[in-house]
Amino acid sequence: MNVQRSTLFAVNGKSNLHSSQGIAISELDSVSKLLDRRRWGLQSPATPIHQISVSPAAKGTCKEQGISKLSFLNNTRPRLGDEVSKGSSFYILRDDLLHPLVNGNKARKLDALLPLLTDLKVTDLVTCGGCQSAHTAAVAVSCAERGVRSHLLLRGEQPEVLTGYNLVSTMYGNNVEYVPRSKYANREEMLRTHADLVAGEDGSVLWTKDLEAMDGFSSSKASPRKVLIVNEGAGDALALLGMFRLVQYLSQDHLLGKKSRVKFVVDAGTGTTAVGLGVAAMSLGLPWEINAVMLADTLENYKRHEDRLLDEFTRQFLPSTVCNSLDTIKWVERQRPRKFGKVMEGEVEMCRKIAQGTGVLVDPMYTLAAWETATELVEDEKSSIVVMLHTGGTLGMFGLAQRYKSFFTNLND
């Protein structure tokens, strides 16, 4: 498994340092206050936790046999806390079960944002994503629930048949436009131009990164339209707060606790979720490691995105932190690297096997990659708890069925 380590930040505390991570106790208190004083989109940070047992079908290691030769068994009520298990199994956070349409990391990244739409009287929201973007679908549904008009810019051409997340975006979104890839490449300009059109001459436009100041909208109460721009995949510092809330919840003694070594696994589209988990674990002084499986970009671009998020987050929420060389995130290659969006032969069948054996549906583009890495870590890490975050996205299977018809037709053979 090819690994690239990434450095995150530590607190520049002068006293009362946490013995294992160099985290100031005063800073841990500020993190708690940061979370406690907010309103959230999700009623609770809780998520179902299942345990997946991994066993080879024959003698040999997992690496030698490959994931297709393994068998999986799901325990939906595992022992946690002091009785948490290490080796031969991994835990899976079933965030795919949070909401019928707004689930997985999409729900977490919108957790801190959604209440602000109401508080700041946002009238319109502009965002973007791929044709089968789970993010744009989640935004469309969440905006519709709150009476906010959503404007979705989707990359590429409109498919002949609307299905999966594309159908959800169309059903719930107020305005869906398909943007040529050449224009979509400059996302910032594309989003700003469209937001200005939506706002008109008398409206106001604000980026999510500027929301915490709350001056942009509050000073323009007479504006008929208040338009908020949300980056692709909700890739803003505000999205990291949802990960903070989740990590704080999981670190309770009756769940994963604060002392056990944890190897987290998450598939990385934009990489925002991985950065959020890493920053949260670091800030809370947890001996956790985030294994982010790179799917959609280069290592250089993931690190660039990470640097931007860290800079935004520390300025907005934790100004007393400074950069330090503490390894927290591992940017990991997928077992079978490929161009983003490509599905390889046998992967749809593997998703079916996992679903039939465990009741957990993963998709070949995102969550299967995390499942593969979690399975590999189970064999390599006997002293750590392996935990996979299910990021949802399974409705994207409908879109894949259109593109890879033969892979799905063969399921009946």
Side-chain angles (χ1 to χ4, degrees):
M1 181 167 59
N2 293 328
V3 171
Q4 291 288 343
R5 293 184 180 272
S6 182
T7 58
L8 286 179
F9 65 83
V11 173
N12 190 18
K14 296 183 179 179
S15 62
N16 270 340
L17 294 181
H18 186 286
S19 60
S20 63
Q21 295 289 339
I23 303 299
I25 298 300
S26 60
E27 189 68 17
L28 298 182
D29 292 338
S30 69
V31 170
S32 296
K33 292 177 182 177
L34 176 68
L35 302 181
D36 293 343
R37 69 173 184 241
R38 304 192 73 90
R39 294 199 304 122
W40 301 94
L42 293 170
Q43 291 185 353
S44 166
T47 186
I49 302 176
H50 295 177
Q51 182 181 16
I52 306 298
S53 298
V54 182
S55 58
K59 291 184 178 180
T61 66
C62 298
K63 291 181 181 179
E64 291 172 344
Q65 298 190 44
I67 188 174
S68 63
K69 302 298 183 181
L70 304 177
S71 61
F72 303 98
L73 184 65
N74 187 5
N75 177 5
T76 60
R77 293 189 176 183
R79 294 179 177 180
L80 298 168
D82 293 337
E83 299 180 281
V84 72
S85 177
K86 301 174 184 177
S88 74
S89 67
F90 64 90
Y91 293 89
I92 181 168
L93 307 180
R94 297 299 307 276
D95 268 12
D96 56 314
L97 304 179
L98 291 178
H99 184 283
L101 299 174
V102 186
N103 55 44
N105 61 337
K106 275 63 67 177
R108 300 291 179 185
K109 289 190 285 186
L110 295 175
D111 200 10
L113 171 65
L114 296 179
L116 295 179
L117 301 183
T118 302
D119 295 344
L120 300 179
K121 296 181 173 57
V122 174
T123 62
D124 299 81
L125 189 152
V126 177
T127 192
C128 63
C131 185
Q132 283 291 343
S133 170
H135 160 70
T136 59
V139 165
V141 173
S142 300
C143 284
E145 291 176 342
R146 291 160 178 80
V148 177
R149 292 182 290 266
S150 59
H151 306 263
L152 314 175
L153 305 179
L154 303 184
R155 181 182 64 249
E157 302 76 30
Q158 179 175 331
E160 183 178 347
V161 179
L162 305 183
T163 186
Y165 288 113
N166 182 252
L167 177 59
V168 174
S169 294
T170 304
M171 295 296 291
Y172 285 87
N174 295 91
N175 176 33
V176 178
E177 292 190 18
Y178 294 86
V179 181
R181 288 170 172 78
S182 57
K183 181 179 178 181
Y184 192 93
N186 192 341
R187 293 161 179 74
E188 184 172 340
E189 180 181 346
M190 174 190 70
L191 287 168
R192 180 71 203 205
T193 299
H194 194 83
D196 287 340
L197 289 174
V198 173
E201 293 184 359
D202 299 326
S204 56
V205 176
L206 198 65
W207 291 83
T208 303
K209 65 181 180 180
D210 301 319
L211 265 184
E212 286 299 308
M214 289 195 241
D215 293 330
F217 285 141
S218 60
S219 62
S220 55
K221 296 179 180 178
S223 298
R225 283 197 164 183
K226 297 180 179 180
V227 184
L228 178 66
I229 301 175
V230 177
N231 277 320
E232 181 182 50
D236 300 287
L238 187 64
L240 306 191
L241 290 180
M243 304 306 157
F244 264 74
R245 192 183 183 208
L246 172 62
V247 171
Q248 184 186 58
Y249 164 76
L250 293 172
S251 65
Q252 296 178 93
D253 291 339
H254 70 284
L255 296 176
L256 300 181
K258 299 177 178 63
K259 298 180 180 179
S260 297
R261 292 180 57 201
V262 175
K263 300 274 187 177
F264 246 89
V265 182
V266 62
D267 54 85
T270 63
T272 302
T273 300
V275 174
L277 292 170
V279 173
M282 188 70 256
S283 297
L284 295 171
L286 304 174
W288 296 8
E289 175 186 276
I290 313 303
N291 291 265
V293 187
M294 299 182 292
L295 302 178
D297 217 331
T298 64
L299 174 63
E300 180 182 4
N301 285 337
Y302 275 119
K303 288 191 172 182
R304 185 179 295 115
H305 181 62
E306 173 192 311
D307 290 341
R308 180 183 68 81
L309 285 176
L310 286 174
D311 179 62
E312 287 183 12
F313 189 84
T314 53
R315 282 191 289 106
Q316 293 180 34
F317 303 109
L318 295 175
S320 60
T321 59
V322 295
C323 291
N324 206 334
S325 56
L326 292 175
D327 294 332
T328 307
I329 296 180
K330 286 185 176 180
W331 296 103
V332 182
E333 291 279 4
R334 188 171 185 173
Q335 284 189 0
R336 290 196 288 173
R338 80 287 304 270
K339 182 180 179 181
F340 179 63
K342 182 177 177 59
V343 176
M344 293 188 173
E345 188 173 353
E347 290 182 336
V348 174
E349 289 86 347
M350 191 64 236
C351 292
R352 186 190 191 194
K353 177 182 177 180
I354 292 170
Q356 291 176 338
T358 66
V360 179
L361 183 60
V362 296
D363 74 282
M365 192 175 298
Y366 291 99
T367 44
L368 178 61
W371 187 286
E372 292 168 342
T373 300
T375 300
E376 186 175 331
L377 285 175
V378 164
E379 185 174 46
D380 294 340
E381 294 292 336
K382 302 301 182 183
S383 60
S384 299
I385 305 167
V386 179
V387 180
M388 170 189 161
L389 175 63
H390 195 309
T391 56
T394 49
L395 280 183
M397 294 275 276
F398 291 89
L400 293 178
Q402 288 182 317
R403 292 172 53 193
Y404 297 94
K405 294 181 181 179
S406 61
F407 289 171
F408 288 82
T409 302
N410 292 339
L411 291 176
N412 295 323
D413 295 343

